[in-house]
Amino acid sequence: GVEVELVEGVGPVVERPIERAADVERLRVSEPDEWAAPILEAVRIVRAELDPERALVGFCGGPFTVAGYLVEGRPSRDYPTAKAFMYGEPEAWHRLMSKLAEMAIRYLNAQVEAGAQVVQLFDSWVGGLGPAEYEAYVQPHVARIFDGVTAPSIHFGTGASALRGQMAAAGGDVIGVDHRVSLAAAWDVIGRD
């Protein structure tokens, strides 16, 4: 129920950004075959053509990143409008995150059914949050996604070195780290389990 245009040099641009609780309520949770049929067919084709010993990784945008696009209306470096919505309308924020979590579960599992053997939750902009913000506003929804996924999973956030412990607690079989995380910091998370 959201019109999105991929604008070259900008990224996803949402026609009508979410501004209030009523906008969240208008969002519908739909089945991936309604909007992602070409992607699921591509997964089937790639799986059929790929050597059996090679894994096919499916992926999905993480809930904070998707919420950021929906509320900001476009990519942002700091997501001030999304954070203001998160703090100013916490019930609506959690309702939005709940809907996005359900969509992510359905989409990732549809990719698994189509042939993906591993899935990655890719939260590009979650590194803009601090640990307390992540725990309060994002972590419960991410944990729900990982609880609902039917395949091995990777949890990845860009620039999220400060969140590595919270991300590990949220779930995923593997925690992906980007180049901004030191090997010592990554080992700290891996070594605990």
Side-chain angles (χ1 to χ4, degrees):
V2 175
E3 293 294 323
V4 178
E5 181 182 354
L6 292 177
V7 177
E8 190 163 336
V10 176
V13 176
V14 176
E15 184 178 303
R16 289 183 42 200
I18 291 173
E19 296 177 346
R20 58 191 59 83
D23 297 333
V24 173
E25 292 310 312
R26 276 195 294 275
L27 294 176
R28 51 184 196 90
V29 175
S30 59
E31 295 300 325
D33 59 352
E34 293 178 35
W35 51 271
I39 295 167
L40 299 175
E41 182 58 24
V43 170
R44 285 184 200 91
I45 291 168
V46 171
R47 179 70 266 157
E49 297 291 325
L50 203 58
D51 290 335
E53 68 274 0
R54 298 206 185 259
L56 179 58
V57 180
F59 75 97
C60 174
F64 179 76
T65 296
V66 176
Y69 291 140
L70 290 173
V71 176
E72 297 284 337
R74 63 188 321 115
S76 165
R77 185 158 302 280
D78 300 316
Y79 290 90
T81 307
K83 288 179 182 180
F85 186 75
M86 185 175 75
Y87 282 119
E89 301 255 6
E91 288 180 27
W93 174 264
H94 284 292
R95 181 74 179 126
L96 172 61
M97 294 295 280
S98 179
K99 287 183 175 194
L100 294 175
E102 182 60 31
M103 290 291 291
I105 292 166
R106 292 179 187 194
Y107 182 47
L108 290 169
N109 286 333
Q111 290 180 61
V112 171
E113 290 173 21
Q117 293 133 312
V118 177
V119 292
Q120 177 170 290
L121 189 66
F122 196 100
D123 222 343
S124 303
W125 306 118
V126 76
L129 297 176
E133 290 173 310
Y134 183 85
E135 284 180 20
Y137 296 102
V138 179
Q139 187 173 336
H141 306 286
V142 171
R144 179 174 160 221
I145 293 168
F146 286 117
D147 285 344
V149 170
T150 61
S153 56
I154 303 166
H155 189 177
F156 180 81
T158 304
S161 62
L163 304 177
R164 61 188 187 273
Q166 289 77 13
M167 289 176 66
D173 297 302
V174 173
I175 303 297
V177 294
D178 69 17
H179 69 281
R180 292 172 274 205
V181 177
S182 72
L183 290 177
W187 186 253
D188 179 47
V189 171
I190 296 166
R192 285 188 277 160
D193 296 321

